[in-house]
């Protein structure tokens, strides 16, 4: 193989490997928007019970948290299905910046996790990225 043939072949090989790696990644630029406001007792309860562990969970890794003030409206590039009127409101945003599901209010730690994971499972590829433990074993 001549030096002249080696360069284009390496470029094609690298491009093929790069595309294969991209295809293997889950399509997911999902985030969880928490709409809050100062003085919200339920927001404070969520902060105490959930906030410290959220980023360490599968849901938190899959849908990182973004906090926004109720009075500021949706962040740039994000579209809510309807205005947020209560705090906290948790809104799942897809990779296009569009709301796909929400929890209005904070139902307590036990119910929050179940509702959030159900919404992620029904509206995103969460279960592909994080299959249930029973499916792994």
């Amino acid at each position: 193989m001549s030096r002249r043939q080696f360069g284009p072949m390496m470029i094609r090989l690298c491009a093929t490997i790069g595309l294969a790696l991209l295809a293997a990644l889950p399509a997911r630029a999902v985030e969880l928007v928490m709409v809050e406001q100062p003085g919200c007792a339920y927001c404070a309860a969520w902060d105490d019970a959930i906030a410290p562990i959220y980023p360490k969970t599968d849901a938190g890794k899959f849908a990182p948290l973004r906090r926004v003030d109720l009075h500021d409206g949706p962040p740039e590039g994000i579209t809510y299905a309807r205005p947020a009127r209560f705090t906290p409101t948790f809104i799942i945003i897809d990779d296009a910046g569009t709301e796909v599901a929400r929890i209005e209010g904070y139902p307590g730690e036990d119910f929050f996790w179940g509702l959030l994971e159900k919404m992620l499972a029904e509206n995103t590829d969460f279960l592909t990225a994080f299959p249930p433990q029973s499916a792994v074993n």
Side-chain angles (χ1 to χ4, degrees):
M1 177 183 308
S2 74
R3 185 179 276 255
R4 185 178 286 178
Q5 292 172 324
F6 184 74
M9 184 161 56
M10 280 304 284
I11 291 171
R12 282 194 299 276
L13 177 63
C14 289
T16 302
I17 291 171
L19 289 173
L21 290 173
L22 284 175
L25 293 173
R28 64 159 207 134
V30 174
E31 68 181 319
L32 179 67
V33 171
M34 178 182 177
V35 181
E36 59 186 340
Q37 66 180 329
C40 169
Y42 293 101
C43 299
W46 189 89
D47 283 341
D48 289 343
I50 306 293
I53 59 173
Y54 182 77
K56 300 172 188 174
T57 66
D58 289 346
K61 292 172 188 166
F62 184 79
L65 182 68
R66 180 192 301 204
R67 294 170 172 263
V68 301
D69 189 278
L70 173 70
H71 305 290
D72 293 342
E76 186 174 331
I78 290 181
T79 304
Y80 297 159
R82 62 186 189 280
R85 301 199 189 282
F86 307 100
T87 58
T89 295
F90 301 93
I91 303 173
I92 296 178
I93 304 296
D94 67 11
D95 59 349
T98 304
E99 174 180 340
V100 294
R102 72 169 57 192
I103 300 171
E104 293 179 318
Y106 173 57
E109 184 176 4
D110 293 335
F111 290 105
F112 176 79
W113 291 115
L115 288 171
L116 178 62
E117 289 181 3
K118 182 177 189 294
M119 289 185 343
L120 288 171
E122 291 175 353
N123 297 285
T124 70
D125 63 347
F126 177 66
L127 293 179
T128 302
F130 296 96
Q133 289 300 319
S134 61
V136 174
N137 296 331

